[in-house]
Amino acid sequence: MQSQMKLMISVNERRGEREERIFSKFPISIGRLPDNDIVIIDEFVSRKHCKIFTEGESMVLKDLKSTNGSVLNDELVIDAALLNDKDVLQIGKFQLVLNIL
């Protein structure tokens, strides 16, 4: 029996504002449009910026050809990258800390 994968995402804005959310349904969409699961209002964030999905027992970040890119642990994500616990995703002025539960 496969266990239910969960991901806690802490969204940190440079001014110190912080929001934490726990997700158990995938994919998780991130971007500027209001229909995303995580909405980030920032001129450097694309309307549909990236998504996080599961693949087997792994979690994967996929950049959706965003204009300014997705940076995971200080490395630009060209297409997709496997996620690990406590990874840091930089999107525009926002830092997202990813905790796999």
Side-chain angles (χ1 to χ4, degrees):
M1 180 169 77
Q2 184 179 11
S3 62
Q4 180 69 32
M5 297 182 81
K6 291 185 182 179
L7 181 67
M8 181 171 70
I9 301 177
S10 301
V11 180
N12 304 305
E13 205 268 332
R14 284 188 184 161
R15 294 177 300 184
E17 296 174 25
R18 179 181 176 162
E19 175 189 352
E20 281 187 358
R21 292 183 53 198
I22 296 176
F23 294 90
S24 59
K25 293 185 180 182
F26 297 88
I28 302 165
S29 61
I30 302 170
R32 221 176 47 236
L33 287 178
D35 65 342
N36 285 293
D37 297 305
I38 295 179
V39 178
I40 298 177
I41 305 301
D42 182 323
E43 63 185 314
F44 297 105
V45 176
S46 295
R47 291 174 288 198
K48 293 283 187 182
H49 198 96
C50 62
K51 69 178 179 178
I52 296 171
F53 62 94
T54 59
E55 192 170 89
E57 293 293 318
S58 300
M59 289 190 193
V60 179
L61 170 75
K62 179 163 181 64
D63 185 82
L64 300 174
K65 299 186 186 340
S66 63
T67 303
N68 294 298
S70 302
V71 178
L72 185 65
N73 301 323
D74 297 320
E75 297 283 332
L76 184 64
V77 175
I78 302 302
D79 179 44
L82 286 176
L83 294 177
N84 295 298
D85 191 34
K86 300 193 181 2
D87 276 347
V88 178
L89 174 61
Q90 187 75 39
I91 300 177
K93 298 177 194 152
F94 290 77
Q95 185 181 70
L96 289 72
V97 179
L98 311 172
N99 293 291
I100 299 172
L101 305 174

